[in-house]
Amino acid sequence: MRTFVALLLKEEKAIFTSPIAYVVLSVFLVIMGYTFTLTLFVSHAPTLVHLFFQIYVLFLLTVPIITMRLLAEERRLRTIEMLLTAPVSEPAVIFAKYLASLSLVMLMLVLSGAYAITLSLFLLLWIIDHFGWMLPDPFDALVVNLSLLVHFTPFATGSIFLSDAGFFISVALLGLFLSVRGLARR
């Protein structure tokens, strides 16, 4: 078991020190971001179905790029003989390479989960005005005033109100304050 863990750590290091992994990861996230933005702003549909299909297609293209080079890289570096003469079995070598490549794929999935989080946080601020009217009297105005759409609509129609500008400035200042506090905690 100790030899398998050492082999797995070697494979993880090989995957995550390779520029190919970062290129694949970057291209994947850029395409996913483009798809997310296009789906959300063109269709105005708060759904992740298109993203799931996009992930499926991208994995059909990227997983072979990640996995095909694992043994080919060992042959190119002429370390395959040393690996096969080590006190590990061939299935352990293949399984370690598989788990290492799977960890990169899982990282891609976790990072693309940011789109779902973004959709749930900002979608709530976008449509909260529709739910605010259902609340009792003192809370309905408070909840409706948290909506981004309520404050953006006057801008879109050419009207500028100080309260709407103040809302967006307050949101920006809150974001900056939280960023400074997050950096200070480190």
Side-chain angles (χ1 to χ4, degrees), residues 10 24-25 44 56 91 95 99 101-102 146-148 150 152 163:
K10 173 201 162 296
V24 168
L25 183 66
H44 299 289
Y56 169 73
F95 193 60
L99 287 179
S101 61
L102 187 61
L146 290 176
S147 172
L148 296 175
V150 165
F152 181 73
S163 61

Side-chain angles (χ1 to χ4, degrees), residues 91-169:
V93 170
I94 297 300
F95 193 60
K97 288 183 179 295
Y98 170 75
L99 287 179
S101 61
L102 187 61
S103 67
L104 180 60
V105 171
M106 292 305 293
L107 178 65
M108 292 164 70
L109 280 176
V110 167
L111 291 177
S112 63
Y115 302 120
I117 292 169
T118 301
L119 184 63
S120 67
L121 294 169
F122 291 122
L123 180 65
L124 179 64
L125 291 176
W126 189 3
I127 64 169
I128 200 168
D129 60 321
H130 297 295
F131 300 112
W133 302 114
M134 293 186 244
L135 295 174
D137 189 23
F139 301 109
D140 62 348
L142 176 70
V143 170
V144 167
N145 281 322
L146 290 176
S147 172
L148 296 175
L149 192 59
V150 165
H151 292 285
F152 181 73
T153 303
F155 287 128
T157 60
S159 301
I160 298 176
F161 295 108
L162 188 59
S163 61
D164 296 327
F167 173 79
F168 287 113
I169 290 170

Side-chain angles (χ1 to χ4, degrees), residues 7 17 41 141 169:
L7 185 61
T17 57
F41 292 115
I169 290 170

Side-chain angles (χ1 to χ4, degrees), residues 163-185:
S163 61
D164 296 327
F167 173 79
F168 287 113
I169 290 170
S170 298
V171 169
L173 289 175
L174 177 66
L176 290 171
F177 173 75
L178 292 175
S179 298
V180 169
R181 295 302 303 159
L183 186 61
R185 289 178 67 184

Side-chain angles (χ1 to χ4, degrees), residues 75-90:
R75 287 188 186 110
R76 187 181 70 80
L77 295 174
R78 299 189 191 275
T79 57
I80 191 78
E81 294 85 12
M82 183 176 62
L83 186 63
L84 292 177
T85 58
V88 291
S89 64
E90 287 87 4

